[in-house]
């Protein structure tokens, strides 16, 4: 490993420019909200007042679907499993429809399909549908917007989907669904040279993770092209982006946003904590974005509860029970904050003052 080369914290107009999985303005502050539903409603109302035609219609649809999502979330909090899973799924589905609406995906005036169903004749299996003629495929459109489009009809085993959800991944390891973690905690920084004329990025992880995680998989695939080989720095291992992008006062925002977009191809996942978002590199690529996997698990729990009582009872009394209950306890709120961030284009986080 080479020695760490010079590079200092990137700043825009004297403020730190941080990495964000949401494409925001450089040095834009986080949106602190203990009530993301009201925050989302307010942002969408402002969009309605400043738009016209189809855009205005889409924003009004987004307001309706987000309100419906909020009601399903509130209803879910008052019941237990398995009904809780069904209500949370419908809440998450309507949040997705709000996201689709603001992105101009046809809704209401065209037939809509979930885009996924329980596999006929198989337990713990989901069938992902490909293109559906004259129909809006909800899951398919969601996956496409997140950069992992559906490629034809196929099946996914529930266990396979579960291990690619960062919120419950550690429990999957504990329960021996997999031998080693597929998620490596990373710290991502934006750096500049001493003259502030070039910007680049750095991804860092702690060497202690090498005892339990196959960290060598970080420098593979698209990441091997994007980053230089590793740099040793005490108890940390760093990877610097190969490209150095020239910046000046005029192009700073554009270059910064382009870097954030480039990271969308590098399998970086996010979890919201009290200290903001924590980031993980998904070392083995899954079929879909981690938010899509969260959606699929909640679909399975909700749909199975409605149509396969024997199967959902088996889940709730068997070895999958802790994963099912953990998923219902953690995923909906994480999904809500992530989707509100995607819809508003703001990095929404939980304020420190919420107790």
């Amino acid at each position: 490993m080479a020695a760490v080369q010079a590079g200092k914290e990137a700043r825009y107009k004297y403020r730190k420019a941080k990495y964000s999985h949401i494409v925001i303005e450089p040095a834009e502050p986080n949106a602190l909200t203990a009530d993301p539903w009201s925050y989302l409603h307010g942002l969408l109302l402002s969009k309605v007042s400043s738009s016209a035609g189809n855009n205005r219609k889409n924003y009004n649809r987004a307001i309706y679907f987000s309100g419906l999502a909020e009601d399903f979330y509130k209803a879910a909090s008052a019941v237990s499993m398995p009904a809780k899973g069904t209500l949370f799924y419908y809440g998450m589905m309507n949040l997705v429809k709000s996201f689709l609406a603001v992105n101009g995906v046809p809704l209401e005036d065209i037939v809509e399909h979930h885009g996924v169903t329980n596999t006929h004749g198989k337990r713990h299996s989901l069938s992902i549908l490909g293109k559906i003629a004259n129909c809006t495929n909800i899951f398919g459109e969601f996956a496409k917007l997140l950069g992992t489009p559906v490629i034809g009809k196929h099946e996914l085993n529930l266990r396979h989907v579960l291990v690619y959800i960062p919120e419950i991944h550690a429990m999957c390891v504990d329960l021996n669904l997999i031998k080693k973690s597929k998620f490596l905690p990373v710290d991502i920084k934006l750096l500049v040279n001493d003259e502030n004329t070039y910007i680049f990025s750095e991804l860092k992880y702690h060497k202690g993770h090498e005892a339990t995680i196959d960290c060598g998989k970080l420098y593979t695939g698209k990441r091997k092209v994007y980053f230089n080989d590793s740099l040793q720095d005490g108890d940390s291992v760093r990877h610097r982006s190969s490209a150095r992008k020239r910046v000046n006062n005029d192009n700073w925002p554009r270059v910064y946003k382009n870097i954030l977009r480039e990271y969308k191809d590098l399998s970086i996942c996010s979890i919201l904590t009290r200290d903001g978002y924590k980031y993980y590199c998904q070392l083995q690529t899954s079929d879909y974005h981690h938010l899509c996997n969260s959606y699929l698990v909640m679909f399975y729990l909700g749909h199975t509860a409605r149509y396969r009582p024997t199967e959902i009872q088996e889940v709730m009394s068997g070895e999958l029970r802790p994963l099912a209950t953990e998923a219902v306890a953690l995923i909906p709120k994480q999904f809500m904050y992530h989707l509100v961030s995607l819809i508003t284009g703001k990095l929404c986080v939980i304020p420190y003052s919420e107790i």
Side-chain angles (χ1 to χ4, degrees):
M1 295 184 181
V4 175
Q5 300 173 350
K8 63 181 183 179
E9 183 180 78
R11 290 183 171 272
Y12 179 69
K13 296 184 177 179
Y14 304 103
R15 294 178 296 168
K16 181 179 178 180
K18 300 184 296 183
Y19 169 75
S20 165
H21 62 285
I22 303 296
V23 179
I24 57 176
E25 296 295 329
E28 181 178 348
N30 294 339
L32 301 172
T33 173
D35 184 3
W37 299 114
S38 292
Y39 181 79
L40 175 59
H41 184 77
L43 262 290
L44 289 174
L45 275 179
S46 69
K47 293 290 187 180
V48 169
S49 64
S50 61
S51 59
N54 284 333
N55 287 338
R56 188 183 183 91
K57 185 180 294 186
N58 286 332
Y59 285 125
N60 274 317
R61 282 198 184 109
I63 289 173
Y64 173 80
F65 288 127
S66 63
L68 205 56
E70 181 182 5
D71 288 340
F72 276 118
Y73 265 69
K74 289 179 178 178
S77 66
V79 299
S80 57
M81 287 288 287
K84 184 183 287 286
T86 301
L87 292 171
F88 269 136
Y89 166 67
Y90 278 104
M92 289 167 59
M93 181 191 68
N94 279 284
L95 255 182
V96 167
K97 290 176 73 171
S98 182
F99 177 52
L100 300 187
V102 300
N103 281 279
V105 175
L107 296 168
E108 188 177 0
D109 298 327
I110 188 171
V111 175
E112 299 167 17
H113 193 286
H114 292 276
V116 56
T117 188
N118 290 79
T119 304
H120 180 68
K122 290 185 180 180
R123 292 180 180 274
H124 309 152
S125 178
L126 292 167
S127 289
I128 313 300
L129 306 183
K131 186 175 181 181
I132 309 172
N134 303 315
C135 183
T136 294
N137 180 326
I138 300 300
F139 177 75
E141 294 292 346
F142 183 46
K144 182 168 65 176
L145 284 172
L146 293 183
T148 53
V150 175
I151 309 298
K153 183 177 180 179
H154 61 283
E155 294 179 18
L156 289 175
N157 182 273
L158 178 64
R159 291 171 182 255
H160 175 83
V161 179
L162 284 166
V163 300
Y164 286 107
I165 300 174
E167 296 95 310
I168 59 175
H169 184 76
M171 181 171 284
C172 291
V173 177
D174 292 341
L175 296 176
N176 296 316
L177 265 67
I178 50 174
K179 293 182 179 180
K180 284 192 173 184
S181 175
K182 299 178 185 294
F183 289 89
L184 174 65
V186 294
D187 181 30
I188 303 170
K189 295 185 182 299
L190 279 297
L191 304 171
V192 292
N193 61 345
D194 288 338
E195 294 78 23
N196 299 307
T197 54
Y198 287 92
I199 186 172
F200 53 100
S201 62
E202 176 186 86
L203 184 150
K204 179 180 71 172
Y205 69 87
H206 194 279
K207 278 184 66 66
H209 293 304
E210 294 177 350
T212 56
I213 302 175
D214 188 0
C215 297
K217 289 184 178 179
L218 188 150
Y219 195 55
T220 57
K222 292 182 179 180
R223 293 186 296 269
K224 188 172 183 178
V225 176
Y226 193 81
F227 294 109
N228 290 323
D229 201 355
S230 57
L231 305 166
Q232 182 70 53
D233 183 21
D235 58 4
S236 297
V237 177
R238 304 167 185 252
H239 287 271
R240 296 275 176 85
S241 59
S242 303
R244 301 295 193 267
K245 303 175 185 291
R246 183 178 287 276
V247 286
N248 53 47
N249 289 335
D250 295 327
N251 73 357
W252 229 105
R254 176 175 58 81
V255 174
Y256 169 78
K257 291 178 183 178
N258 284 341
I259 292 173
L260 299 186
R261 293 187 184 99
E262 290 166 359
Y263 266 80
K264 292 183 179 296
D265 292 328
L266 304 180
S267 299
I268 304 299
C269 299
S270 48
I271 296 179
L272 179 59
T273 73
R274 289 284 182 191
D275 298 317
Y277 286 94
K278 302 297 183 184
Y279 294 103
Y280 299 80
C281 180
Q282 186 178 298
L283 299 177
Q284 184 176 330
T285 304
S286 68
D287 296 275
Y288 298 109
H289 189 281
H290 70 98
L291 292 177
C292 293
N293 290 326
S294 294
Y295 184 91
L296 289 174
V297 166
M298 294 307 297
F299 171 86
Y300 172 83
L301 294 174
H303 199 257
T304 305
R306 291 181 65 200
Y307 298 108
R308 295 187 175 186
T310 302
E311 184 172 344
I312 197 66
Q313 286 174 341
E314 176 188 298
V315 169
M316 295 309 299
S317 61
E319 61 180 5
L320 290 178
R321 177 186 174 92
L323 289 170
T325 57
E326 195 78 1
V328 171
L330 297 178
I331 286 175
K333 189 169 185 178
Q334 287 283 329
F335 194 87
M336 172 181 59
Y337 269 92
H338 278 81
L339 262 290
V340 170
S341 296
L342 284 169
I343 294 168
T344 61
K346 306 291 183 181
L347 197 63
C348 297
V349 301
I350 302 170
Y352 287 115
S353 55
E354 184 185 4
I355 56 175

